[in-house]
Amino acid sequence: MVEVRYFSKSGNTEAIAQAIAAAVGAEAHDISMPLSGNTDILFLGGAVYAFHIAGRLKKFIKTLSPESTAKIAVFSTAGNPGGASGLIKKQLQKRGITPVEREFHCIGGLAKDETVQKQAAQFAREIMEEAKQ
Ligand SMILES: Cc1cc2nc3c(=O)[nH]c(=O)nc-3n(C[C@H](O)[C@H](O)[C@H](O)COP(=O)(O)O)c2cc1C
């Protein structure tokens, strides 16, 4: 099962989540929606707020385990060009989870840009392809 979860305060990360979900034939949900069961691929997104990811996203990550989620691919938005993926990956690693090395990030203000949306969709399709190999 492929799942998409995100935390988004002002809609930028949500816009990327929607592009990813549409590309992989899944639905994007806020992290308040628990995962439905054993997950083959989880696309997990967040953003940077005052140099940190949201506490709610950290809490969600604490519910994950390597056993219940086979593969996690991270995406993020931020004001700075580096995104938040490194911060999210660090929290996953604390749980003993090694996320997919590749990640997608963009500047928040560009998240609804058509080109960026296409890049996010392409990223998601490539992760799906890699998972099949
Ligand atoms: C209160 C607040 C604090 C922020 N702090 C940072 C920050 O420390 N570093 C950064 O790169 N971007 C920062 N940003 C920019 C957000 O990461 C960026 O707008 C992001 O796309 C927001 O995602 P969202 O629309 O999904 O909530 C901040 C934004 C807000 C509203």
Side-chain angles (χ1 to χ4, degrees):
M1 176 131 197
V2 180
E3 302 258 27
V4 183
R5 292 290 184 281
Y6 62 87
F7 178 85
S8 179
K9 282 189 187 177
S10 57
N12 297 334
T13 313
E14 181 180 8
I16 297 298
Q18 297 292 359
I20 287 174
V24 302
E27 279 185 27
H29 294 290
D30 178 83
I31 49 167
S32 53
M33 167 87 86
L35 297 176
S36 39
N38 277 359
T39 305
D40 300 311
I41 304 179
L42 169 63
F43 289 92
L44 180 63
V48 192
Y49 308 101
F51 308 105
H52 297 279
I53 60 169
R56 276 185 57 205
L57 181 54
K58 284 187 189 167
K59 272 192 190 158
F60 178 79
I61 289 171
K62 283 186 183 153
T63 69
L64 302 175
S65 70
E67 293 75 33
S68 62
T69 307
K71 206 181 251 286
I72 300 186
V74 171
F75 61 96
S76 66
T77 70
N80 78 62
S85 304
L87 294 171
I88 297 171
K89 283 181 169 186
K90 210 168 131 189
Q91 295 299 319
L92 288 166
Q93 276 152 358
K94 278 191 193 168
R95 296 285 307 154
I97 298 169
T98 305
V100 177
E101 196 176 331
R102 285 186 53 200
E103 45 94 9
F104 181 85
H105 67 261
C106 70
I107 293 176
L110 297 178
K112 291 165 193 162
D113 180 279
E114 197 184 330
T115 308
V116 172
Q117 291 259 306
K118 280 186 183 159
Q119 288 166 350
Q122 181 63 21
F123 161 76
R125 281 192 290 268
E126 286 170 12
I127 295 289
M128 297 286 282
E129 277 305 310
E130 284 166 19
K132 281 185 206 159
Q133 287 162 15

